[in-house]
Amino acid sequence: MSKILVIDDERSIRNTLKDILEYEKYEVDLAEDGTKGIEKIRSAEYDIVLCDIKMPGLDGIEVLERLVVLAPDTPVVMISGHGNIDTAVDSIKKGAFDYIEKPLDLNRLLITIRNAMDKSTLVTETKILKKKVNKKFEIIGESKAITEIIEMADRVAPTDARVLITGANGSGKELVARRIHDQSNRASGPFVEVNCAAIPSELIESELFGHEKGAFTSAVKQRKGKFEQANGGTLFLDEIGDMSLSAQAKVLRALQESIISRVGGDKHIKVDVRVVAATNKNLANEIDQNKFREDLYHRLSVILIHVPTLNERLDDIPLLASHFVKQICGEYGMQEKTISEKGIKELQKINWTGNIREFRNVIERLIILCDQEITDADVLKFAAPLKSNS
C-alpha cells in the first residue's frame, strides 16, 4: 500500500484528505505543521508528500527546501489557498512535483497523486536497475594486482586524463573502463563503447564520426557517430590496436582539437568526450611495424593500466566463483548453489587461457549440470572437457 504524508495546519483539511485518500486505498499520515512533518520524514519513508504552503512556524516552501535534501526522490505536491502563479512557479523551481490551489479539485488531486506515484515507482525501478547494472560490471577480487588496479582507476577517475588499458582477451578491461566512468564527474553522462576489432575498416570512420546523407552508397540519411553520442560522457575504444591508420589519424585530430567532422561533411563539430582505450596487443610492436601511430599512442597513454590474466590472480578464484554463482543462479531464478572447498582448489589448477570470460562460462556450465553442491569431481568432469586440467 502506498504511503502519503499530509502536512497542513487546518485540521478539517487534514481529516478530509485522510478520508478521501484512505478510501482510495492509500495509507495516510498527518502532520499539523512543518516541523512535525520534517520529523515524520526523518523517521519514515513516504511515496508522496502533500504540503500546505502557508503555515505557522516553518512555511511550506521552507519544508519543501528541506525535503529536497532529506528525501530527494519523494515527490512533493504543494497545496495553497493563498497562492498565485509566482508561488506555483517558485514551488516547481525549488523541486515540487506539482502545485494545486485550494479549494481542492478532487479529480485533479487524484490524477496528480497517480502521476507522482508513477514517478516515484519509476525512480525506484531505475535505482534497482542501476544497482543490477553496477553489480554486473563490478570488479571482483582482493589480490594485490586487482587492488592496485581499483586504486589506480579511482584515483584517475575524477580527472579527464585519457587512459590506456592493456591486457589479454577476457581479462576484464571493460570493467576497468566502466569503473573509471562510474567514479568520474561524467558518471551521469553516456558511456559509449566501440569494439574497433568488430567493425570493418571501411566503416570505422562512419561509426566513430558519423556521416552525412549521401556520403556513400548506403548513407540514406544523416547519422551521428560515437564521438557525438558520447558527448559529455566517456567513449571507450576497445581493441584500438585493430583500428585502421586512416581512422587513427582522425581520432588523433579529435583528441588534439576536440573537434570532429562527419564523413562526407565539412562542418566542424565540437565534442566534449573523455576517451578511454583498451587493447590486447603490444602497441610498441605495432608502432615498430608501422601499424599504429606513435603520436596517437602518446595521446592515449596519459595513464597506463595493465589488467592481469586470471592465471596471475588465482587467489581471486574463490571470490569470483561466489560472485558468478550468485549472479547466474539469480538470472536463472534457481536456488543458489555452492562449490566445495576441493572444487575451488580444482578450479585454481586450470589453465585459464580465456580468463574471466572463460571462467564465467565454466561456472554457468557447472551450475546447469551439477547438483546443489558442486564438487571437485564435477569440476574435473565438466570444467574443461576438451583439454587437460593441468
Side-chain angles (χ1 to χ4, degrees):
M1 187 182 290
S2 299
K3 197 171 182 180
I4 298 176
L5 173 64
V6 177
I7 308 173
D8 199 303
D9 62 321
E10 294 184 54
R11 179 183 292 178
S12 59
I13 296 219
R14 289 198 306 272
N15 292 338
T16 300
L17 284 172
K18 182 178 174 68
D19 290 343
I20 291 168
L21 296 174
E22 285 183 341
Y23 179 78
E24 295 290 329
K25 308 300 182 191
Y26 294 112
E27 185 181 343
V28 183
D29 272 358
L30 303 177
E32 61 265 32
D33 58 46
T35 303
K36 286 191 170 57
I38 294 293
E39 287 174 6
K40 285 186 177 288
I41 287 283
R42 288 184 193 277
S43 59
E45 288 188 7
Y46 295 94
D47 296 289
I48 299 173
V49 175
L50 302 180
C51 184
D52 189 21
I53 288 185
K54 198 163 182 66
M55 295 184 292
L58 283 178
D59 69 19
I61 297 297
E62 290 175 301
V63 172
L64 172 63
E65 288 172 343
R66 296 194 188 187
L67 290 185
V68 166
V69 176
L70 281 172
D73 296 328
T74 304
V76 182
V77 178
M78 306 304 293
I79 51 179
S80 178
H82 308 278
N84 53 38
I85 191 67
D86 292 334
T87 312
V89 170
D90 189 39
S91 299
I92 302 299
K93 277 185 176 178
K94 288 183 175 174
F97 176 78
D98 205 349
Y99 174 93
I100 302 177
E101 288 187 53
K102 295 177 182 177
L104 297 174
D105 180 308
L106 180 58
N107 288 331
R108 164 86 195 278
L109 175 67
L110 294 176
I111 288 169
T112 300
I113 287 173
R114 275 197 293 271
N115 289 341
M117 203 67 73
D118 287 343
K119 182 202 172 189
S120 186
T121 302
L122 189 61
V123 167
T124 303
E125 287 175 351
T126 302
K127 278 185 169 181
I128 292 168
L129 189 59
K130 278 186 175 178
K131 280 183 182 176
K132 284 183 179 177
V133 170
N134 289 341
K135 205 77 176 170
K136 183 179 177 183
F137 295 111
E138 188 179 0
I139 299 175
I140 305 297
E142 293 178 351
S143 62
K144 185 171 182 284
I146 287 300
T147 303
E148 287 176 354
I149 284 172
I150 292 171
E151 287 175 356
M152 174 87 79
D154 290 351
R155 183 171 292 185
V156 304
T159 73
D160 266 346
R162 287 182 286 275
V163 182
L164 178 62
I165 305 166
T166 59
N169 282 334
S171 57
K173 298 186 292 296
E174 182 193 353
L175 302 187
V176 178
R178 283 187 177 272
R179 186 178 183 94
I180 290 168
H181 172 74
D182 291 341
Q183 301 294 324
S184 75
N185 301 325
R186 296 173 175 266
S188 59
F191 178 87
V192 178
E193 181 180 356
V194 182
N195 187 333
C196 302
I199 303 167
S201 57
E202 63 272 15
L203 295 178
I204 187 70
E205 291 182 35
S206 170
E207 187 73 16
L208 290 173
F209 307 109
H211 59 252
E212 299 293 349
K213 182 179 179 181
F216 45 87
T217 306
S218 59
V220 293
K221 62 179 180 179
Q222 185 193 77
R223 182 177 180 274
K224 287 185 178 181
K226 300 299 187 185
F227 266 91
E228 284 182 83
Q229 293 173 33
N231 197 44
T234 302
L235 178 63
F236 177 45
L237 299 177
D238 197 9
E239 304 305 350
I240 196 166
D242 293 278
M243 184 182 285
S244 67
L245 286 168
S246 60
Q248 288 177 37
K250 285 198 171 186
V251 169
L252 178 64
R253 182 188 172 217
L255 296 181
Q256 287 172 330
E257 303 173 13
S258 297
I259 289 171
I260 63 156
S261 296
R262 297 190 191 116
V263 175
D266 52 14
K267 180 184 174 185
H268 289 175
I269 301 165
K270 189 84 175 168
V271 288
D272 172 25
V273 173
R274 181 187 194 167
V275 171
V276 176
T279 182
N280 65 348
K281 293 190 173 181
N282 184 324
L283 291 187
N285 290 344
E286 297 294 302
I287 291 167
D288 288 342
Q289 296 172 33
N290 294 318
K291 292 180 179 178
F292 200 84
R293 295 181 62 115
E294 186 173 3
D295 46 4
L296 176 58
Y297 171 80
H298 291 304
R299 283 278 173 185
L300 292 170
S301 60
V302 176
I303 302 293
L304 281 166
I305 297 178
H306 179 72
V307 182
T309 64
L310 182 54
N311 289 333
E312 294 173 305
R313 44 179 292 221
L314 293 174
D315 288 347
D316 285 332
I317 278 182
L319 278 175
L320 286 164
S322 174
H323 171 74
F324 287 133
V325 165
K326 189 174 293 185
Q327 187 183 86
I328 294 162
C329 288
E331 289 172 2
Y332 282 129
M334 63 168 63
Q335 185 181 345
E336 201 172 300
K337 296 192 175 184
T338 58
I339 304 177
S340 70
E341 195 174 324
K342 287 183 177 179
I344 292 292
K345 283 186 166 59
E346 285 303 327
L347 287 170
Q348 289 175 313
K349 294 177 185 177
I350 294 173
N351 179 24
W352 296 103
T353 56
N355 293 296
I356 306 296
R357 194 175 295 141
E358 180 189 11
F359 182 79
R360 189 193 189 281
N361 289 345
V362 165
I363 297 298
E364 185 168 4
R365 186 186 308 148
L366 291 168
I367 287 170
I368 293 168
L369 298 177
C370 301
D371 294 329
Q372 198 56 38
E373 183 184 56
I374 298 165
T375 66
D376 53 331
D378 292 326
V379 174
L380 287 166
K381 184 177 180 182
F382 298 117
L386 298 181
K387 63 183 179 182
S388 169
N389 286 345
S390 58

